[in-house]
Amino acid sequence: MAKHWKTDIQAVMDRDPAARSKWEVVFCYPGFRAVRRHRRANWFFKHGHPIIARMIANRTRRITGIDIHPGATIGEGLFIDHGTGVVIGETTVIGKNCTIFQNATLGGTGKEVGKRHPTLEDEVMVCAGAKVLGPFTVGKGSKIGAGAVVLSEVPPHCTVVGVPGRIVRCNNVRVEETIDMDQRLPDPILEELQQLCSRIGELERRINKQ
């Protein structure tokens, strides 16, 4: 249960410019507290004590507003920013150095048995209000935009926006080995409108020349 302690603290320090000290993270950050309590609940869950595990998880939800099933597998360095309303399902698997913002859901569609929830590979960002639903994989370094609803596989280093989620950017070549925290994601509808306006302008210029 003490495994990842320093990494979990450092994840917050590295990715939240508002974090002034490690003590502030330990005592004042609900996301950090939820992750630490989950690691305890997960230990009991794996060692055949599901009721104790659920009691810890239920109290964590009351304290932090973050609902993590004790069966979820969470790698080191998870940063849950703000955290209120975050839901992480039982068979969710989260890799290293992922980031999840408030009101995000890693859930199921209610139809599957066995593996029902998503797998996030390393360094995935799930922005505020996003819903990732189903037993598929979100590839390393991908971003799920705010409010997106993702229902199918996402390749590595892609950006997904919209309802239902659409891949609007994908680049499998990692330029830097740093965690990208930029949430300013592309707007595909705006880009199409800009292209349409540009095309209309070009047609008007051609007509005026005649």
Side-chain angles (χ1 to χ4, degrees):
M1 289 180 280
K3 190 179 176 181
H4 307 316
W5 175 273
K6 293 182 179 179
T7 309
D8 290 339
I9 295 176
Q10 196 59 46
V12 181
M13 296 297 296
D14 290 343
R15 281 174 258 167
D16 187 356
R20 297 173 179 81
S21 71
K22 293 181 179 180
W23 289 114
E24 182 181 16
V25 172
V26 171
F27 291 111
C28 302
Y29 272 64
F32 172 80
R33 189 171 187 180
V35 170
R36 295 311 309 170
R37 290 180 62 87
H38 168 74
R39 299 203 189 285
R40 190 183 314 151
N42 183 250
W43 186 92
F44 282 106
F45 189 85
K46 288 182 175 179
H47 287 80
H49 303 286
I51 295 177
I52 296 176
R54 291 303 296 264
M55 290 173 65
I56 295 171
N58 288 345
R59 180 163 173 77
T60 300
R61 184 176 65 242
R62 290 196 298 271
I63 293 171
T64 66
I66 299 169
D67 186 356
I68 308 176
H69 192 285
T73 300
I74 295 180
E76 63 184 30
L78 173 63
F79 173 37
I80 301 178
D81 195 11
H82 297 289
T84 301
V86 166
V87 177
I88 300 175
E90 177 183 4
T91 61
T92 301
V93 178
I94 300 176
K96 297 179 180 179
N97 298 318
C98 291
T99 304
I100 300 175
F101 289 85
Q102 65 272 16
N103 288 316
T105 299
L106 305 180
T109 62
K111 300 177 181 178
E112 299 88 0
V113 294
K115 178 76 163 104
R116 309 183 305 282
H117 305 98
T119 294
L120 308 187
E121 294 186 343
D122 298 347
E123 300 171 16
V124 169
M125 176 188 290
V126 182
C127 296
K131 314 300 177 187
V132 186
L133 307 175
F136 53 84
T137 298
V138 178
K140 179 179 179 180
S142 288
K143 290 183 177 181
I144 309 301
V149 178
V150 184
L151 302 172
S152 59
E153 196 94 2
V154 178
H157 306 299
C158 288
T159 300
V160 180
V161 301
V163 181
R166 303 180 304 280
I167 297 174
V168 295
R169 184 175 297 169
C170 194
N171 179 8
N172 290 320
V173 178
R174 186 76 174 188
V175 179
E176 298 180 16
E177 289 301 322
T178 56
I179 299 171
D180 184 1
M181 292 292 291
D182 187 1
Q183 296 187 71
R184 294 171 296 179
L185 305 181
D187 183 342
I189 296 176
L190 177 61
E191 291 175 358
E192 290 181 9
L193 287 174
Q194 289 173 337
Q195 292 175 4
L196 182 60
C197 290
S198 177
R199 179 61 175 164
I200 291 172
E202 177 62 25
L203 291 173
E204 288 178 342
R205 283 191 293 271
R206 290 184 183 182
I207 292 172
N208 292 333
K209 287 181 180 180
Q210 295 178 354

